[in-house]
Amino acid sequence: MKIAIALLALVGLVAAASFHQTHEVKIADKGFLVKQKFLFEVVYRIEDPLMFEDIIKLGDKFYFDESYYTHYDLYMKKFFEAYKMHSLLPKGEFFGQLVKSHAKQARGLFNFFYYAKDWETFMHNVAWARMHVNEGMFVYALTLAVIHREDFHGLMLPSIYEIFPQFFFNSKFVYEAEKFDYEMWMKMTMYEKEYLDVYFKGHEHGNMYQYGDYMYMKDFKMWQWWKLMGLGEHWYSEDKFILRENIYEFNQDTKWLAMMKDVKVWWMPVDYTRDLDLYNEESKLSYFTEDLGWNAYWYYLNMDYSFFLDGTTFDLKNDRRGEWWLYNVHQLLSRYYMERLSHGFGDIPEFSWYHQIEMGYDPQMIYYNGIGFSYRKNYYEMETYGNFEMLDKITGFMKRIQDIIELGYYKTTDGHTIDLRKPESIEFIGNLMQGNIDAMDNMFYQFWYMLAHMYFGDVEYHQMEVYPNVMLNFETMMRDPMYYMFYKSIASIYFKFMHYLPKYTKEQLLMPGVTMKHVEVSDLTTYFDLVDFDVTNMLNDKMIFHDGKFVWDKSLYARQMRLNHKPFTYTYTIESDKVEKVVVRAFLGPKFDEFGKMISLTENRMNFMEVDEFYYDLKAGSNVITRKSNDFYWTVKDRTTYTELYYYVMMAFDGKYDFPLDISEPHCGFPDRLVLPMGWKKGMPMQMFFMVMPYKAPSHEQFSTFDYTYSCGIGSGARFVDSMPFGYPFDRQIDEYEFFVPNMYFKDVTIFHTDTMEPYYKYKGYTNYGHFDYTFFRDYYTKYFKL
């Protein structure tokens, strides 16, 4: 059974090849469980001192000698020198993945982890680093090593939002979580039970409800659901269940119930950040831009294809890493644009280094060292930083990349000429835009991307102590509306390159003998559901050990609204005059702009987001294919919580459970629940595009190298359905006289939004005011939405 709780997956962006399964479900052996237990414990309460005695003993030394490694390079030497000179980034300081001085040290630490000859060396190094190295740097290097080491296949870390909840929730919640005191909570609970347990009976007055001494305004913001239930932003504990979209599975699972019966669970309502002091319309999108799954997807994409990992050593070239990264930028912007349209907003504003940024942003977040994240006022002028040398390098690069695309070729410093009128050259452009180490002329290109983010964070070239800023880390930058403006300028390079490629002809698009006659799409409905995110890493309580084993008896959860959709299906009717293996692609895109004007296909192609692709063996005659939304190639469901994973491992240790390697979804998936934009209550008109085309095998069909159920197959070359360009056929400009062929199908669809909390301000007789209504939650989601 696959467990779930916190991160879901988008559509058209991920890469866990669901149809490439080549293995039966594997059960972890004792050796695997030892490693998995170590990884779970070493990141527990990462900001606190390490308390596991066995790991502390392992951390007595760090193996700096070259003989312990398969490779030893300059970055490892520099890290060792920095350690000897006491110049490593201190513990407790803000770590920025895109701060140059931080990234160099992190790269050295990662190399010590990655190139360790055996598990013993790796374990000692990790234990030592956990106690002596900056917490953020440690987690960053460890995450990279766990993802990329071939001998760690199937091992996992908790989700990044469970390791560092501070990066995903506002400071108000963080303060409440970090000062949570179990004994004080129990005393207050007893006091309230004895003296304040009063039944309040209320009645309605127009737009207000009167409940005894309680009075509140109707609040139609889904993310403030707790107000409608009469709850405060406090910690609650009830002997119920953890909220998730598939709760009914767990309520009926006796093994899960037995496992969790001794865990005391607390939850607290969480509000999204809204810029009350710097208010602007972008705040209406906070439920989307601050979604944990949305932000975690971008983080893990940049872990899988980290800018300092070279394509040859780590086999990233097999996955077309430059093209894939750039295409993801495009797809994320397409998805964001559709969410904007749900609120009547228009195009993503253009970005300029020399004009005011209209939309300010206050993340209202606090780093674990107590320092708040920087904010940006409305109508902010970027050039006021005054670091004109860095700015000139950044803008100079953007002008150079524009010029070489217009020129049509590029000559590298070693005299090698790259033809920029060939489709495969998009890989070169993608590497340049990411600023990764595979950029062929990397003397400056490798750093332009990092410098841009350093400029956003007001960081100097060699600065070590840095103030927290959301633009300096991948897991936080997508919260800021400026992110989408800046990355729109990156995506414009993608479209500029494609502009010079020849348009697809009818002969190229046509699949003779195959016709897509019809596609039936079921109802598309979105809603906000409630979910509990595991934030136990912020627990401020003494750790208990019994017979040397850690007793995980308390867990904290953040209860938050999130966007979701009802399951839906497509039913294809495809006619073929022969047996043939094909690939079917599905896209979602807008039909009208914010003014209700239809967008021409020539312009609109850039707004389509790929939601599914799969291969299929057509038979001669009529083929009817039903595709469910939860089977989409690119998506994953909720990942298992940190608490549950640890319990499953410990049960497996005791021989009470067979730990399957697919117990949690792969980290690389984008939330299934975010496939559809919010839409409108009256129905938001959209369109879908479907196409069937001949199957063209990927150049690296190493399907046996990974199992999609628990691995992402980074560097295998087997992550993608076929070898076609990403986004085909919308990757190039469209000639509408040539484009439409029988193996394509456009479908008008409507996305409806249902108000989840409507019963709380419309129905009469709700008598559970002041308490969370578990019965309503269970019945409403399982019956109304048929989940």
Side-chain angles (χ1 to χ4, degrees):
M1 180 188 66
K2 291 191 178 182
I3 323 289
I5 204 166
L7 175 136
L8 300 166
L10 190 141
V11 157
L13 291 179
V14 184
S18 60
F19 45 81
H20 289 166
Q21 184 178 15
T22 56
H23 307 282
E24 296 295 327
V25 175
K26 293 183 179 179
I27 302 301
D29 57 23
K30 193 72 172 182
F32 181 94
L33 293 172
V34 169
K35 296 176 182 179
Q36 189 61 79
K37 177 176 177 290
F38 171 80
L39 292 174
F40 284 158
E41 291 180 346
V42 81
V43 295
Y44 184 73
R45 296 200 206 174
I46 192 69
E47 62 187 274
D48 294 337
L50 184 64
M51 298 298 291
F52 295 91
E53 290 292 339
D54 53 341
I55 302 180
I56 292 174
K57 292 176 182 177
L58 290 171
D60 60 343
K61 63 178 296 187
F62 193 98
Y63 291 97
F64 286 110
D65 190 86
E66 294 185 27
S67 62
Y68 290 96
Y69 302 95
T70 57
H71 171 79
Y72 203 89
D73 61 17
L74 178 63
Y75 289 96
M76 299 164 80
K77 294 178 182 177
K78 292 289 186 182
F79 182 87
F80 183 34
E81 290 175 6
Y83 165 67
K84 290 189 296 183
M85 298 297 293
H86 304 285
S87 59
L88 289 175
L89 180 67
K91 289 175 72 70
E93 288 292 329
F94 173 77
F95 169 76
Q97 298 147 11
L98 290 168
V99 175
K100 190 174 179 180
S101 57
H102 297 182
K104 284 185 174 182
Q105 291 187 359
R107 184 171 177 179
L109 181 61
F110 161 74
N111 287 353
F112 276 115
F113 293 163
Y114 180 80
Y115 292 114
K117 278 186 174 181
D118 50 41
W119 170 257
E120 197 70 22
T121 304
F122 172 85
M123 191 166 47
H124 278 279
N125 286 354
V126 169
W128 180 91
R130 168 67 171 86
M131 295 187 289
H132 296 92
V133 175
N134 175 273
E135 300 85 350
M137 183 184 297
F138 168 74
V139 170
Y140 179 63
L142 180 62
T143 302
L144 283 169
V146 171
I147 289 174
H148 291 283
R149 280 191 64 129
E150 291 185 8
D151 56 338
F152 285 11
H153 196 56
L155 290 171
M156 63 184 130
L157 289 170
S159 299
I160 185 61
Y161 46 77
E162 294 175 325
I163 299 176
F164 282 129
Q166 298 90 338
F167 293 169
F168 296 88
F169 298 102
N170 61 39
S171 57
K172 181 178 181 180
F173 171 76
V174 172
Y175 281 132
E176 290 292 329
E178 291 187 338
K179 69 182 182 182
F180 178 84
D181 187 306
Y182 169 69
E183 293 184 0
M184 181 59 69
W185 184 90
M186 289 297 294
K187 291 176 182 177
M188 289 299 297
T189 302
M190 294 302 296
Y191 171 80
E192 291 177 0
K193 184 69 178 174
E194 186 172 353
Y195 297 105
L196 302 177
D197 193 5
V198 180
Y199 174 69
F200 292 93
K201 183 176 181 181
H203 50 279
E204 186 172 353
H205 291 288
N207 282 337
M208 302 183 72
Y209 286 88
Q210 181 74 39
Y211 281 87
D213 291 336
Y214 290 118
M215 181 178 291
Y216 68 99
M217 293 291 293
K218 286 183 179 178
D219 194 330
F220 295 96
K221 296 183 179 65
M222 289 300 99
W223 45 93
Q224 289 187 321
W225 55 272
W226 41 272
K227 289 185 177 180
L228 293 175
M229 291 186 181
L231 298 172
E233 289 180 281
H234 309 297
W235 287 102
Y236 300 89
S237 179
E238 296 184 41
D239 187 21
K240 299 291 183 179
F241 41 80
I242 303 170
L243 296 189
R244 64 183 89 207
E245 63 179 351
N246 57 344
I247 55 174
Y248 56 90
E249 294 180 12
F250 297 89
N251 292 344
Q252 300 170 11
D253 182 10
T254 55
K255 190 177 290 289
W256 184 87
L257 292 171
M259 178 182 78
M260 297 295 290
K261 66 180 176 63
D262 295 326
V263 182
K264 188 71 173 175
V265 175
W266 283 266
W267 59 270
M268 177 179 168
V270 185
D271 193 4
Y272 287 103
T273 295
R274 288 191 311 284
D275 300 325
L276 301 180
D277 296 327
L278 307 170
Y279 184 77
N280 57 61
E281 64 179 12
E282 297 289 339
S283 299
K284 295 179 181 178
L285 291 169
S286 59
Y287 69 90
F288 181 75
T289 57
E290 296 178 19
D291 187 282
L292 276 72
W294 175 251
N295 284 275
Y297 176 76
W298 179 245
Y299 169 80
Y300 284 114
L301 173 71
N302 286 280
M303 294 293 103
D304 293 342
Y305 300 98
S306 175
F307 59 89
F308 67 71
L309 302 182
D310 71 274
T312 301
T313 303
F314 297 89
D315 295 324
L316 303 184
K317 288 183 178 179
N318 295 342
D319 295 338
R320 296 185 277 168
R321 58 100 56 93
E323 180 186 0
W324 177 243
W325 185 87
L326 197 52
Y327 178 64
N328 270 268
V329 170
H330 162 219
Q331 291 283 271
L332 289 169
L333 292 174
S334 298
R335 178 63 185 87
Y336 173 68
Y337 173 62
M338 285 188 279
E339 202 64 35
R340 291 176 62 85
L341 288 177
S342 294
H343 295 271
F345 300 162
D347 288 337
I348 301 170
E350 298 293 329
F351 176 81
S352 172
W353 295 97
Y354 303 106
H355 294 88
Q356 290 179 335
I357 305 297
E358 179 183 354
M359 301 302 176
Y361 179 62
D362 182 2
Q364 298 178 27
M365 293 196 304
I366 188 168
Y367 200 62
Y368 56 78
N369 62 6
I371 299 178
F373 278 72
S374 304
Y375 77 94
R376 185 184 64 259
K377 64 181 181 181
N378 288 334
Y379 301 100
Y380 184 76
E381 295 184 1
M382 190 65 64
E383 72 269 23
T384 54
Y385 281 158
N387 191 345
F388 297 111
E389 181 187 358
M390 186 182 291
L391 180 60
D392 287 345
K393 286 187 176 182
I394 299 165
T395 55
F397 166 79
M398 293 298 286
K399 185 177 187 308
R400 288 169 68 186
I401 194 71
Q402 297 265 6
D403 290 344
I404 66 171
I405 291 176
E406 291 177 2
L407 189 62
Y409 70 91
Y410 180 71
K411 184 167 286 189
T412 64
T413 51
D414 61 1
H416 180 67
T417 300
I418 299 173
D419 185 351
L420 297 180
R421 296 296 180 260
K422 291 183 177 180
E424 58 268 24
S425 295
I426 186 60
E427 178 71 4
F428 168 74
I429 298 297
N431 289 335
L432 287 181
M433 297 311 297
Q434 190 193 10
N436 65 50
I437 199 170
D438 285 343
M440 293 192 67
D441 208 355
N442 58 20
M443 294 185 67
F444 167 68
Y445 292 138
Q446 188 179 342
F447 294 108
W448 93 269
Y449 178 79
M450 183 182 291
L451 293 181
H453 283 268
M454 289 170 63
Y455 194 84
F456 289 136
D458 194 17
V459 180
E460 298 291 339
Y461 284 110
H462 306 293
Q463 188 174 342
M464 184 62 74
E465 295 183 1
V466 176
Y467 281 103
N469 189 289
V470 294
M471 294 299 285
L472 296 176
N473 281 318
F474 295 111
E475 63 268 38
T476 56
M477 64 179 65
M478 292 178 73
R479 304 167 65 94
D480 191 337
M482 188 175 68
Y483 165 92
Y484 303 95
M485 298 168 60
F486 175 63
Y487 277 77
K488 182 180 179 180
S489 67
I490 292 178
S492 70
I493 302 297
Y494 174 76
F495 295 120
K496 189 180 182 80
F497 173 85
M498 292 300 180
H499 171 79
Y500 288 100
L501 298 182
K503 302 178 180 69
Y504 292 118
T505 64
K506 189 176 292 290
E507 289 72 24
Q508 290 175 306
L509 296 168
L510 182 65
M511 188 176 180
V514 176
T515 302
M516 188 172 288
K517 297 291 290 185
H518 184 68
V519 182
E520 187 66 34
V521 181
S522 66
D523 292 342
L524 304 178
T525 304
T526 68
Y527 61 98
F528 283 94
D529 72 346
L530 280 164
V531 69
D532 289 337
F533 295 111
D534 194 339
V535 295
T536 309
N537 251 14
M538 290 196 293
L539 185 63
N540 181 25
D541 186 48
K542 65 180 181 180
M543 294 173 61
I544 301 173
F545 291 85
H546 180 70
D547 291 337
K549 288 186 178 181
F550 170 51
V551 180
W552 189 314
D553 61 339
K554 302 181 188 69
S555 286
L556 301 184
Y557 287 86
R559 183 162 294 178
Q560 191 173 60
M561 277 285 182
R562 63 179 184 181
L563 184 64
N564 207 335
H565 64 80
K566 290 177 62 176
F568 59 92
T569 60
Y570 307 142
T571 301
Y572 298 90
T573 301
I574 303 174
E575 293 185 355
S576 176
D577 61 4
K578 58 184 178 299
V579 174
E580 187 168 0
K581 189 172 187 176
V582 298
V583 170
V584 182
R585 282 183 165 84
F587 293 81
L588 174 68
K591 190 174 181 67
F592 304 99
D593 64 14
E594 70 274 24
F595 303 111
K597 177 184 175 182
M598 183 180 293
I599 312 173
S600 70
L601 184 59
T602 304
E603 297 177 44
N604 207 18
R605 71 177 182 88
M606 295 182 284
N607 299 321
F608 277 86
M609 180 189 76
E610 187 173 358
V611 295
D612 188 29
E613 59 181 31
F614 62 97
Y615 62 63
Y616 190 82
D617 293 315
L618 290 180
K619 64 181 182 181
S622 181
N623 297 262
V624 178
I625 309 167
T626 299
R627 187 77 169 168
K628 297 180 180 179
S629 59
N630 53 13
D631 293 331
F632 283 171
Y633 168 72
W634 302 109
T635 63
V636 296
K637 287 292 183 182
D638 286 342
R639 295 187 69 188
T640 313
T641 65
Y642 194 178
T643 298
E644 292 165 314
L645 284 172
Y646 188 77
Y647 262 82
Y648 279 123
V649 167
M650 298 311 295
M651 284 177 62
F653 251 97
D654 296 336
K656 300 176 182 177
Y657 180 71
D658 290 334
F659 188 90
L661 299 193
D662 67 344
I663 195 170
S664 187
E665 296 283 353
H667 67 266
C668 56
F670 190 101
D672 161 68
R673 60 188 172 78
L674 292 181
V675 170
L676 302 178
M678 188 174 81
W680 303 336
K681 189 172 183 177
K682 65 179 180 181
M684 178 180 176
M686 301 283 285
Q687 59 182 323
M688 301 201 70
F689 170 81
F690 307 93
M691 185 177 185
V692 57
M693 63 199 74
Y695 173 72
K696 293 184 178 180
S699 55
H700 298 273
E701 280 195 303
Q702 302 167 357
F703 294 161
S704 61
T705 60
F706 77 102
D707 187 332
Y708 84 95
T709 57
Y710 61 87
S711 174
C712 294
I714 309 301
S716 68
R719 301 191 69 194
F720 313 119
V721 174
D722 57 18
S723 58
M724 295 298 288
F726 298 127
Y728 176 89
F730 291 130
D731 56 322
R732 300 190 195 179
Q733 285 200 312
I734 290 176
D735 182 347
E736 295 195 32
Y737 291 101
E738 293 280 311
F739 187 74
F740 299 98
V741 290
N743 49 304
M744 295 179 179
Y745 192 90
F746 279 89
K747 176 82 173 181
D748 286 345
V749 297
T750 304
I751 299 178
F752 295 92
H753 182 71
T754 299
D755 188 346
T756 310
M757 304 304 292
E758 190 174 41
Y760 283 94
Y761 51 80
K762 278 196 173 180
Y763 294 175
K764 309 300 181 190
Y766 175 61
T767 59
N768 204 25
Y769 187 77
H771 301 275
F772 186 82
D773 191 349
Y774 284 89
T775 303
F776 165 78
F777 181 88
R778 182 187 62 233
D779 294 345
Y780 191 67
Y781 288 102
T782 57
K783 293 181 181 178
Y784 184 80
F785 290 110
K786 297 181 176 62
L787 296 177

